[in-house]
Amino acid sequence: MPSSLFDKLWDSHCVETDDDGVSLLYVDRVVMHERTGSVALDTLLRRGRPVRRPEHVFCVVDHVVDTRPGRGDETQAPGGRDFIVALRQGAAAFGLRMFDVDDQDQGITHLVSAEQGIALPGLSIVCPDSHTCTLGALGTLAFGIGTSELQHVLATSTLRMAKPDTMRVVIDGRLGAHATAKDLALYLIGAYGTGGAGGAAVEFAGEAVARMDTEARMTLCNMAAEFGAATAVIAPDEAVLKSVVAAPLAPARVGDWSALRSDCGARFDREVDLDAAAIGPQVTWGTSPEQCAPVRARVPAATTTAARRSLAYMGLEPGTPLDSVPIDAAFVGSCTNARIGDLRAAARVLEGRPGAPGVAAVCVPGSRRVKRAAEAEGLDRVFVEAGFEWREPGCSMCFFAGGETFGAGKRVISTTNRNFEERQGPGVRSHLASPGVVAASAVCGRIAAPDAL
């Protein structure tokens, strides 16, 4: 019987399934960050339980680390240093590989997992972070889990969960000028809602997806969390395989990954079709990723209580052209859009153009490896000359728990994945967009698409 890629990955890791339909999955890799990983490791230590496969467990400092130059062990998050110290202690006690603040390969968890070859096609990986689905772009079975689940996985190398339904999103056609994977994701969420996936495992396929490089696929899978997916996956192709084989922790000899694709005739519980050619640069106008529209559209009428609340928080009126809305700040970073390709896209827009007066702008590379590559190409100079701060890697202003913010009441255009009320700090109004749109907006001082320049 023809099988989907997700079915193949699931079946190859399923140890057993109970009568109630809950399965026990074998977990190949575990990655954790300081906010939740430190708690899980401390609990195991206090209970005297070992980590079953310490060589397959990795610790990364990213969520609350300060991203300002010369940061050292400092953090702007209240109590943040305690999380970092606790993770170090747990990693040392169990003999785990840790990507600490000063490690040459430190960065955001999901970027580090891909860069280092921790996540590989055909493997399963878990992390206590909802955007672990990012790694499905490599053909990896990737799940975000809770802290108690993390403790169980560390002790047993297994995860208990019910198998989700499957959904295929087929994106055909060619992306137009200035449209990106981020725009596809925002359009999809806007069209079907933040619950559009209904907890299913989503496979992205189609001509537009096949044309994407690995980094763009990671952006698409990353935003599946905002689409309400249990995880996301894309069949790995030659470009993906070459990138993972070259990773430092990839095995010297790899298995046959050619079968990691959905069979012809594979059945899905639900299918959605999109035409990439019809999708241009998008931006959110409200406090949910589903509240988005083309950059040159107008703020829609508020027909629901949720929409009225969103517009009140965002300080917007229906009918206002989105590309007339002034901004106070711009942010390029996060696990969604802080890879080298994202920085190149923003730099192409910024090069030779000064930032708008009064706009505070920050660029945070997703990892030390990305930062080194960007500096070797001179991208850091482009950002600085356009008025951006050039920072150290970390989650930074993706969310306020790290302590970094642009300030109460500021309107920010951001390459991040969530725009909930106060996501980037008390009173902050967040608009989600692609790196190109964020860069163009920083130059214009208002929401703008790159072709406005």
Side-chain angles (χ1 to χ4, degrees):
M1 180 176 177
S3 297
S4 70
L5 171 56
F6 177 75
D7 288 334
K8 293 178 181 181
L9 292 170
W10 181 277
D11 291 346
S12 67
H13 290 87
C14 184
V15 179
E16 63 178 16
T17 301
D18 293 341
D19 293 338
D20 62 1
V22 177
S23 295
L24 191 68
L25 297 181
Y26 182 78
V27 178
D28 295 301
R29 301 283 189 272
V30 182
V31 186
M32 68 188 86
H33 55 75
E34 72 277 21
R35 287 198 73 215
T36 49
S38 57
V39 176
L41 292 176
D42 181 66
T43 301
L44 289 183
L45 281 170
R46 286 187 288 103
R47 294 179 178 177
R49 293 178 177 170
V51 171
R52 183 174 181 273
R53 299 293 297 275
E55 69 275 20
H56 291 163
V57 180
F58 304 86
C59 302
V60 183
V61 176
D62 66 353
H63 270 57
V64 301
V65 66
D66 194 345
T67 62
R68 294 174 298 183
R71 62 189 175 189
D73 268 357
E74 297 303 314
T75 171
Q76 297 182 55
R81 192 172 186 279
D82 294 338
F83 287 110
I84 296 173
V85 171
L87 186 66
R88 284 178 184 149
Q89 292 172 341
F94 290 112
L96 311 180
R97 170 71 165 94
M98 180 164 175
F99 297 88
D100 209 335
V101 178
D102 58 353
D103 192 286
Q104 65 173 356
D105 291 317
Q106 178 267 340
I108 300 174
T109 301
H110 315 305
L111 275 74
V112 170
S113 297
E115 290 173 349
Q116 297 298 312
I118 298 169
L120 294 170
L123 294 189
S124 59
I125 188 169
V126 298
C127 175
D129 188 287
S130 59
H131 291 101
T132 307
C133 51
T134 305
L135 300 169
L138 306 177
T140 307
L141 183 63
F143 291 109
I145 59 175
T147 305
S148 59
E149 291 174 307
L150 175 61
Q151 295 168 25
H152 184 274
V153 175
L154 288 169
T156 69
S157 296
T158 61
L159 172 69
R160 281 178 53 82
M161 69 178 295
K163 184 179 181 180
D165 288 341
T166 57
M167 178 180 187
R168 179 162 58 185
V169 177
V170 179
I171 309 174
D172 283 322
R174 287 175 175 264
L175 281 171
H178 307 300
T180 69
K182 181 66 165 289
D183 300 302
L184 285 175
L186 288 173
Y187 180 88
L188 175 67
I189 296 164
Y192 294 93
T194 52
V202 173
E203 177 177 347
F204 292 105
E207 177 189 358
V209 177
R211 291 180 181 277
M212 289 180 185
D213 61 21
T214 305
E215 295 187 357
R217 296 179 187 192
M218 291 177 73
T219 294
L220 195 59
C221 287
N222 177 276
M223 294 293 291
E226 277 57 66
F227 188 44
T231 190
V233 68
I234 297 174
D237 59 12
E238 276 302 313
V240 171
L241 301 184
K242 286 180 180 178
S243 69
V244 297
V245 167
L249 299 180
R253 299 183 66 180
V254 299
D256 182 10
W257 292 332
S258 62
L260 292 178
R261 59 191 67 256
S262 291
D263 297 330
C264 182
R267 300 190 64 178
F268 294 82
D269 295 295
R270 186 180 174 195
E271 297 202 46
V272 167
D273 295 296
L274 296 179
D275 178 9
I279 300 169
Q282 307 284 305
V283 66
T284 57
W285 51 264
T287 57
S288 167
E290 71 182 28
Q291 293 173 328
C292 70
V295 171
R296 287 196 171 83
R298 293 176 180 269
V299 176
T303 58
T304 65
T305 300
R308 287 190 289 273
R309 174 172 174 163
S310 288
L311 290 182
Y313 180 84
M314 295 297 289
L316 295 175
E317 293 292 332
T320 303
L322 281 167
D323 61 358
S324 72
V325 176
I327 62 166
D328 301 301
F331 178 67
V332 175
S334 85
C335 61
T336 312
N337 284 123
R339 288 169 282 275
I340 187 63
D342 301 312
L343 272 54
R344 288 169 180 156
R348 281 195 295 271
V349 176
L350 295 172
E351 190 164 16
R353 297 184 172 108
V359 173
V362 174
C363 178
V364 179
S367 71
R368 286 281 180 88
R369 178 174 286 202
V370 170
K371 186 172 186 285
R372 288 194 298 271
E375 290 174 348
E377 296 178 19
L379 302 186
D380 57 322
R381 295 192 299 274
V382 174
F383 279 98
V384 170
E385 289 168 4
F388 277 72
E389 292 182 44
W390 181 251
R391 297 280 193 95
E392 297 292 335
C395 293
S396 190
M397 295 182 194
C398 177
F399 73 133
F400 184 58
E404 298 182 10
T405 181
F406 284 105
K410 300 299 184 182
R411 186 180 301 280
V412 183
I413 189 156
S414 175
T415 64
T416 51
N417 43 46
R418 290 180 178 162
N419 57 332
F420 310 149
E421 292 184 17
E422 303 191 345
R423 169 74 176 181
Q424 293 184 295
V428 174
R429 297 161 170 169
S430 305
H431 296 269
L432 307 181
S434 69
V437 171
V438 170
S441 302
V443 171
C444 294
R446 58 177 173 80
I447 294 174
D451 61 2
L453 302 174

